[in-house]
């Protein structure tokens, strides 16, 4: 589906989405326009991705099928005001601005507008990681299908009510932190066991990749695989017992819970 897309904002968020869209051939460079106030940034986006990038993209906004709001939350009100009376009635307004609710967009543009709120995942560059999506009542099946295809450039999507966005931000968007931390701890453990840091890192990365692939492909519960590895009186059960004694699972759950509470307090 060929759609005309205008990005309001040409910063790192927008660039990451544009790069993924082009790499996965979900959109063509000729169908993308970026509205960016920094002329040097406009030149960079043009030269790097072949897209149109303008300080004033109001003309492109008038014909756009999708408007992507990709600016800092504090700038969103200014961007929304610039869209009033400009965008087509059937254009989809998709916001990736953190914390900006659909109601606040509808308040400025009108309750009859097609609005989608997205919380992207920081792992989008890898093609993995879920983005949370909430659609307002004006989004039809065709709009939804294209939006999901569009967001497929960033990885996987999960449709959630806005009331769950705080939990999603803490658990999924912040989720890679816990895995990075675990990887870092395992590398240190490998060094302590006698391996070079380089070799320990290589082994940890491949172990993490292998575990992720097996769980994804088989659908097995992680606990099932742990049980399989823990032979009676063996090496693995000894290590597992230490994790239980040290309160590993409890520490992770408490950490996630604190992040969720923080996200919902913002």
């Amino acid at each position: 589906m060929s759609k005309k897309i205008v990005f309001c904002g040409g910063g790192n968020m927008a660039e990451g989405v544009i790069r993924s869209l082009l790499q996965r051939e979900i959109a063509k460079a000729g169908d993308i326009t970026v509205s960016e106030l920094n002329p040097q940034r406009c030149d960079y986006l043009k030269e790097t991705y072949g897209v149109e990038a303008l300080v004033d993209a109001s003309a492109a906004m008038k014909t756009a099928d999708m408007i992507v709001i990709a600016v800092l939350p504090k700038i969103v009100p200014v961007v929304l005001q610039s869209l009033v009376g400009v965008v087509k009635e059937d254009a989809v307004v998709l916001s990736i601005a953190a914390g900006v609710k659909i109601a606040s967009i509808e308040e400025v543009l009108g309750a009859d507008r097609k609005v989608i709120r997205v919380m992207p995942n920081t792992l989008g560059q890898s093609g993995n990681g879920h983005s949370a999506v909430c659609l307002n009542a004006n989004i039809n099946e065709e709009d939804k299908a294209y939006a999901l295809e569009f967001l497929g450039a960033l990885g996987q999507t999960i449709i959630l009510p806005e009331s769950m966005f705080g939990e999603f931000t803490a658990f999924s968007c912040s989720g890679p932190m816990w895995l990075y931390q675990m990887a870092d701890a395992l590398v240190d453990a490998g060094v302590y066991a006698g391996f070079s840091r380089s070799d320990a890192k290589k082994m940890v990365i491949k172990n993490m990749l292998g575990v992720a692939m097996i769980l994804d492909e088989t659908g097995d519960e992680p606990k099932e695989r742990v049980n399989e590895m823990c032979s009676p009186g063996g090496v693995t059960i000894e290590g597992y017992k230490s994790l239980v004694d040290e309160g590993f699972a409890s520490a992770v759950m408490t950490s996630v819970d604190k992040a969720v509470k923080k996200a919902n307090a913002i």
Side-chain angles (χ1 to χ4, degrees):
M1 289 181 280
S2 180
K3 301 276 188 179
K4 295 294 183 183
I5 305 166
V6 173
F7 283 80
C8 295
N12 292 333
M13 281 196 306
E15 182 180 358
V17 177
I18 291 168
R19 179 172 55 245
S20 295
L21 287 172
L22 297 178
Q23 286 178 344
R24 293 169 175 78
E25 299 183 345
I26 291 173
K28 298 178 181 178
D31 292 328
I32 297 175
T33 301
V34 183
S35 177
E36 169 57 51
L37 295 179
N38 185 330
Q40 288 74 33
R41 186 67 179 172
C42 287
D43 292 339
Y44 165 78
L45 293 170
K46 289 178 186 177
E47 294 169 6
T48 306
Y49 301 103
V51 300
E52 186 69 89
L54 305 165
V55 172
D56 180 5
S58 55
M61 291 177 185
K62 293 177 181 178
T63 61
D65 299 299
M66 176 179 284
I67 303 289
V68 181
I69 300 176
V71 296
L72 295 174
K74 64 181 181 181
I75 304 175
V76 171
V78 177
V79 170
L80 291 177
Q81 286 296 333
S82 72
L83 298 178
V84 175
V86 176
V87 297
K88 296 192 303 182
E89 289 185 3
D90 62 344
V92 173
V93 178
L94 185 149
S95 172
I96 58 175
V100 178
K101 294 183 177 181
I102 288 176
S104 64
I105 297 175
E106 292 175 336
E107 186 177 348
V108 178
L109 299 182
D112 59 335
R113 286 290 182 178
K114 298 179 178 183
V115 182
I116 299 175
R117 180 184 172 190
V118 178
M119 177 57 71
N121 191 294
T122 56
L123 294 176
Q125 66 185 36
S126 72
N128 288 293
H130 282 80
S131 293
V133 184
C134 185
L135 318 167
N136 80 348
N138 303 317
I139 297 294
N140 60 36
E141 287 302 314
E142 182 181 343
D143 300 326
K144 177 181 176 181
Y146 180 71
L148 293 179
E149 180 185 9
F150 177 94
L151 294 168
L154 303 178
Q156 297 72 42
T157 56
I158 180 170
I159 297 177
L160 291 174
E162 277 192 297
S163 60
M164 285 291 292
F165 268 46
E167 285 79 0
F168 178 84
T169 300
F171 179 68
S172 184
C173 295
S174 296
M177 180 277 292
W178 285 281
L179 298 176
Y180 287 133
Q181 184 69 17
M182 184 63 181
D184 186 57
L186 283 171
V187 171
D188 283 345
V191 173
Y192 186 72
F195 297 102
S196 70
R197 186 164 294 276
S198 175
D199 284 345
K201 180 182 175 183
K202 290 175 184 176
M203 285 187 274
V204 168
I205 289 173
K206 290 302 182 180
N207 275 348
M208 292 184 75
L209 282 170
V211 166
M213 290 174 66
I214 286 172
L215 292 177
D216 190 41
E217 291 171 4
T218 65
D220 288 350
E221 293 295 328
K223 182 63 175 174
E224 294 176 20
R225 290 287 175 163
V226 171
N227 290 342
E228 287 179 9
M229 294 187 67
C230 290
S231 302
V235 172
T236 306
I237 190 66
E238 188 71 23
Y240 175 74
K241 180 181 182 300
S242 178
L243 285 180
V244 173
D245 291 343
E246 295 295 328
F248 173 76
S250 178
V252 172
M253 292 178 71
T254 298
S255 179
V256 172
D257 183 57
K258 286 183 178 294
V260 167
K261 289 175 179 175
K262 178 69 174 182
N264 283 325
I266 296 175

